[in-house]
Amino acid sequence: MFKTYDVIVVGAGHAGCEAAHAAATIGSSVLLITMDMGRIGQMSCNPAMGGIAKGQILREIDALGGMSGIVSDLTTIQFRMLNRSKGPAMWSPRTQNDRWKFTEEWRLALERNQNIDIWQEMVSSLIIKDGRACGVKTGMGLDINAKSVVLTNGTFLNGIIHIGEKQFSGGRTAEKAATGITEQLISLGFEAGRMKTGTPPRIDGRSLNYAIMEEQKGDENPDKFSYLPITSPATIQRSCHITYTNEEVHDILKTGFEKSPMYSGRIKGLGPRYCPSVEDKVSRFADKDRHQIFVEPEGWNTVEVYVNGFSTSLPEDVQHRALSKIQGFENVKMFRPGYAIEYDYFPPTQLNARLETKLIKKLFFAGQINGTTGYEEAAAQGLMAGINASLAVQEKEPFELQRSDAYIAVLIDDLINKGTDEPYRMFTSRAEYRIILRQDNADIRLTKKGHDVGLASNERLNLVNVKIQSSEKILEEIKEMKMPLELINTFLRNSGNTEVREKTSFYNLLKRPQIEISNLKTINEETKRYFDTINKDVLEQVEIHAKYDSYIEKEQKVAESLKKIDFIKISPEFDYRKVHAISAEAKEKLTKIKPDTLGKASRISGINPSDISILMIHLQK
């Protein structure tokens, strides 16, 4: 019934979709197995993509040739560029999305790829031969053979849903859990753990009073995620709204604490620290008399509303009573209550940088199975696992990124070297090269790499080459462009800036924090005509380089100097016990994790610079 596939991808969430698309695009035959074809690419929690650091990841996925940015653009109902008041390293694009259109666009994208087949069923175990993944067994007893397998099981592995004192098996609401895989992997020597996440109740928007809430509109001139011209910025947008909890809401929530699975000890897994439940916020931040609630529409043509900031697993009657005391929610109607879900994960120190397991060859993990949280983190891992699963089958060199290349590399490097015992979420603070890793230049950083591996199209490469050449040309031109002194000083006086004593270039003017290219357009008609003919993405690159070139250059030099130890290889058979001068903790962790380069060894938690120096000397000998 089934042929032998190059790659089987188990699970069709954000990680699975990107893995299947990537592997198929670079030439592998792929079988994507999901328990429900109607929920491919499902937005299980909030109907939004991007945000702080996550928006950078989405731009990187798009630059490499992935699909998440395109799907997000096609389903956008609101776009906002966050952190505009800060420097460009912190700017982060975010969209509100139509939940149902998002799923539809992902399914259509996968169905258009001739190398992808789809099968609807649960996978109960893996086929392992001679220490290598060779396929899967399904719940109906089918054996499907493959040359590599990517597991992207999300919250489904032995998932348990909690609502108050009720608990039942499930991977998502109204969907059954997946069983068998965890037990098999443990029997093969893998270490497993439990994590927890949660979701808020879904609300009937017709029962809300938006007039007394704060309206949050999208950007006046919205942007988009994808660098390709096949998508366009939203021309019409839907507003979100903001309201707040209050002390009466908190008092009602407290009445349910004794029935809360989190406080009663029924939930053992750790939840995401940076996205706590509302009862956790009330308990941990008892000094605060209110917490912000974002009221987010679920799509264009639905009244369903996502209550961002009110994730909870309290009894449903407590949820409803508390919601009704929030301003604008006085007559609230619930479609379904919030819940917590507990699931299995596998500590990611058991993987190498390709996201391949160290114990079983040709077996790759991506997404929440690795202890991460968030659509974007999952999609990034899926993309990298899909690429590497395909390359492994083709017996080609693996595809890896350095920390100075991408947030995606920071994510993977953190996971495999530091591990995580709580759901890992990406932040800009995790990246030491934030000025280089901006959302505006992901195509410049990564499209050539994506093209070389066969994922990014020729069109993408041509577009980025034009962008690079145009930016360099305009930079050189504005370094030479000078206006009459009187005209420049008139402009500076009118804009509240200090005058100059001699002619100065536009480049030097742009170095001033208060002056932007939009200001230079106002000097006269000549400057306006000049800048109006230039693509806005090119102008953005020019302005950023003018203002931050010294910082960018400094960070690039640091990155280059540190890259040297990333290319010092360590054999997996290396015996750290023979290096007597390094600490006992270093020996233990290095022996367990087995980093394949000295750079990766240096980023393992508990490894000191002195350990690395001693190890470097030993390796050189």
Side-chain angles (χ1 to χ4, degrees), residues 403-470:
R403 289 180 74 95
S404 56
D405 292 331
Y407 272 89
I408 293 173
V410 175
L411 165 68
I412 293 172
D413 193 65
D414 280 356
L415 290 174
I416 66 170
N417 290 312
K418 298 177 182 177
T420 185
D421 55 7
E422 62 181 353
Y424 179 103
R425 178 180 178 180
M426 180 53 71
F427 292 100
T428 52
S429 58
R430 295 190 191 273
E432 60 270 44
Y433 305 115
R434 293 187 293 279
I435 299 176
I436 298 174
L437 307 182
R438 306 185 308 276
Q439 56 83 33
D440 62 273
N441 70 348
D443 54 343
I444 295 172
R445 290 184 277 119
L446 297 173
T447 296
K448 176 66 164 58
K449 296 179 186 292
H451 184 267
D452 288 346
V453 84
L455 187 57
S457 64
N458 291 333
E459 180 188 9
R460 283 189 182 277
L461 188 61
N462 292 336
L463 284 169
V464 76
N465 284 337
V466 168
K467 179 178 176 180
I468 292 169
Q469 292 162 10
S470 299

Side-chain angles (χ1 to χ4, degrees), residues 325-570:
K325 299 302 179 183
I326 295 174
Q327 187 173 17
F329 281 63
E330 290 81 3
N331 299 308
V332 66
K333 294 179 181 177
M334 284 199 309
F335 283 133
R336 62 182 186 272
Y339 62 86
I341 181 165
E342 205 176 3
Y343 56 93
D344 294 335
Y345 85 104
F346 291 83
T349 51
Q350 299 170 100
L351 307 174
N352 59 32
R354 302 180 290 280
L355 297 181
E356 182 182 26
T357 69
K358 295 173 183 176
L359 280 175
I360 304 295
K361 299 298 182 186
K362 304 292 178 68
L363 175 62
F364 298 79
F365 291 175
Q368 285 174 291
I369 192 172
N370 290 336
T372 60
T373 181
Y375 306 147
E376 302 80 6
E377 291 88 343
Q381 293 170 74
L383 181 88
M384 298 298 285
I387 291 172
N388 280 308
S390 181
L391 293 176
V393 169
Q394 298 173 38
E395 297 185 348
K396 293 181 178 179
E397 286 295 309
F399 182 67
E400 296 180 21
L401 297 170
Q402 302 296 316
R403 289 180 74 95
S404 56
D405 292 331
Y407 272 89
I408 293 173
V410 175
L411 165 68
I412 293 172
D413 193 65
D414 280 356
L415 290 174
I416 66 170
N417 290 312
K418 298 177 182 177
T420 185
D421 55 7
E422 62 181 353
Y424 179 103
R425 178 180 178 180
M426 180 53 71
F427 292 100
T428 52
S429 58
R430 295 190 191 273
E432 60 270 44
Y433 305 115
R434 293 187 293 279
I435 299 176
I436 298 174
L437 307 182
R438 306 185 308 276
Q439 56 83 33
D440 62 273
N441 70 348
D443 54 343
I444 295 172
R445 290 184 277 119
L446 297 173
T447 296
K448 176 66 164 58
K449 296 179 186 292
H451 184 267
D452 288 346
V453 84
L455 187 57
S457 64
N458 291 333
E459 180 188 9
R460 283 189 182 277
L461 188 61
N462 292 336
L463 284 169
V464 76
N465 284 337
V466 168
K467 179 178 176 180
I468 292 169
Q469 292 162 10
S470 299
S471 300
E472 291 173 350
K473 175 176 177 287
I474 302 303
L475 271 170
E476 291 305 311
E477 288 180 356
I478 67 169
K479 286 178 180 178
E480 301 299 324
M481 288 175 66
K482 296 180 181 180
M483 303 296 286
L485 185 61
E486 184 180 344
L487 189 61
I488 290 293
N489 280 332
T490 300
F491 161 72
L492 291 173
R493 280 196 304 273
N494 291 340
S495 58
N497 281 278
T498 306
E499 296 180 35
V500 293
R501 294 181 180 179
E502 56 185 32
K503 283 185 180 181
T504 189
S505 68
F506 279 10
Y507 183 80
N508 287 333
L509 289 175
L510 275 177
K511 283 184 171 295
R512 298 191 179 198
Q514 310 89 342
I515 296 178
E516 299 176 356
I517 284 178
S518 58
N519 304 128
L520 296 181
K521 286 184 181 184
T522 66
I523 293 178
N524 61 16
E525 281 300 315
E526 184 183 345
T527 59
K528 186 177 187 304
R529 279 196 302 272
Y530 174 77
F531 287 116
D532 279 348
T533 61
I534 303 169
N535 179 283
K536 73 177 185 66
D537 291 338
V538 171
L539 286 179
E540 188 174 54
Q541 290 300 301
V542 168
E543 189 163 333
I544 289 170
H545 275 273
K547 292 188 184 303
Y548 300 95
D549 59 347
S550 60
Y551 299 100
I552 292 169
E553 184 180 355
K554 181 180 178 181
E555 198 162 275
Q556 285 173 333
K557 285 181 178 177
V558 171
E560 286 301 318
S561 65
L562 292 176
K563 264 185 183 179
K564 293 174 184 176
I565 64 170
D566 269 312
F567 292 101
I568 299 176
K569 298 288 185 182
I570 306 176

Side-chain angles (χ1 to χ4, degrees), residues 164-177:
E165 294 180 305
K166 303 170 186 174
Q167 65 179 54
F168 43 92
S169 175
R172 268 191 305 238
T173 182
E175 294 183 78
K176 64 182 181 180

Side-chain angles (χ1 to χ4, degrees), residues 7-18:
V7 182
I8 288 178
V9 178
V10 180
H14 297 259
C17 287
E18 284 289 2

Side-chain angles (χ1 to χ4, degrees), residues 17-288:
C17 287
E18 284 289 2
H21 170 264
T25 302
I26 63 177
S28 289
S29 60
V30 176
L31 180 65
L32 177 63
I33 305 180
T34 174
M35 291 200 287
D36 187 347
M37 288 178 62
R39 300 199 184 202
I40 288 174
Q42 172 85 354
M43 302 182 102
S44 306
C45 202
N46 60 322
M49 295 294 286
I52 307 301
K54 294 167 177 280
Q56 282 88 329
I57 288 176
L58 273 189
R59 282 274 170 94
E60 291 175 352
I61 290 171
D62 185 76
L64 286 165
M67 282 298 299
S68 290
I70 292 172
V71 172
S72 298
D73 288 345
L74 293 173
T75 60
T76 294
I77 65 174
Q78 186 194 90
F79 181 95
R80 293 179 67 222
M81 184 67 77
L82 307 184
N83 282 342
R84 271 287 191 186
S85 61
K86 300 179 180 179
M90 304 299 289
W91 297 351
S92 301
R94 184 183 189 272
T95 57
Q96 289 293 140
N97 297 86
D98 187 309
R99 184 188 298 278
W100 292 271
K101 290 178 81 63
F102 191 93
T103 296
E104 179 185 37
E105 289 294 343
W106 248 124
R107 177 165 174 171
L108 291 173
L110 295 171
E111 289 180 352
R112 283 192 291 265
N113 194 315
Q114 296 300 312
N115 283 340
I116 297 176
D117 291 339
I118 302 173
W119 182 252
Q120 179 173 293
E121 199 184 345
M122 185 185 84
V123 170
S124 57
S125 64
L126 303 169
I127 299 172
I128 308 293
K129 294 178 182 177
D130 300 322
R132 187 181 301 269
C134 300
V136 300
K137 293 179 181 288
T138 73
M140 290 196 300
L142 299 173
D143 283 10
I144 310 176
N145 296 315
K147 298 172 184 176
S148 65
V149 177
V150 182
L151 293 184
T152 70
N153 302 79
T155 60
F156 284 79
L157 291 179
N158 292 323
I160 297 177
I161 292 174
H162 298 263
I163 304 175
E165 294 180 305
K166 303 170 186 174
Q167 65 179 54
F168 43 92
S169 175
R172 268 191 305 238
T173 182
E175 294 183 78
K176 64 182 181 180
T179 57
I181 291 177
T182 296
E183 293 74 13
Q184 181 190 18
L185 290 175
I186 290 174
S187 73
L188 291 169
F190 284 87
E191 177 189 349
R194 296 285 277 176
M195 279 189 178
K196 165 235 170 211
T197 190
T199 193
R202 304 305 198 270
I203 301 303
D204 187 337
R206 296 170 297 183
S207 66
L208 303 182
N209 182 2
Y210 294 105
I212 60 174
M213 300 183 204
E214 176 187 338
E215 185 178 12
Q216 186 182 56
K217 295 183 177 181
D219 288 351
E220 188 174 340
N221 297 302
D223 204 334
K224 63 192 187 85
F225 281 116
S226 182
Y227 292 98
L228 286 179
I230 59 172
T231 65
S232 303
T235 54
I236 305 171
Q237 301 186 71
R238 282 198 69 175
S239 292
C240 296
H241 289 79
I242 297 173
T243 185
Y244 298 88
T245 63
N246 53 57
E247 291 184 349
E248 188 175 10
V249 172
H250 299 175
D251 289 341
I252 294 171
L253 291 171
K254 289 173 185 175
T255 66
F257 279 11
E258 63 180 22
K259 295 183 178 179
S260 165
M262 185 170 65
Y263 291 101
S264 67
R266 285 192 300 279
I267 290 181
K268 304 297 183 185
L270 281 173
R273 180 187 308 188
Y274 304 103
C275 188
S277 65
V278 67
E279 56 263 38
D280 198 22
K281 286 189 281 191
V282 170
S283 175
R284 284 168 52 190
F285 307 107
D287 57 319
K288 292 188 177 293

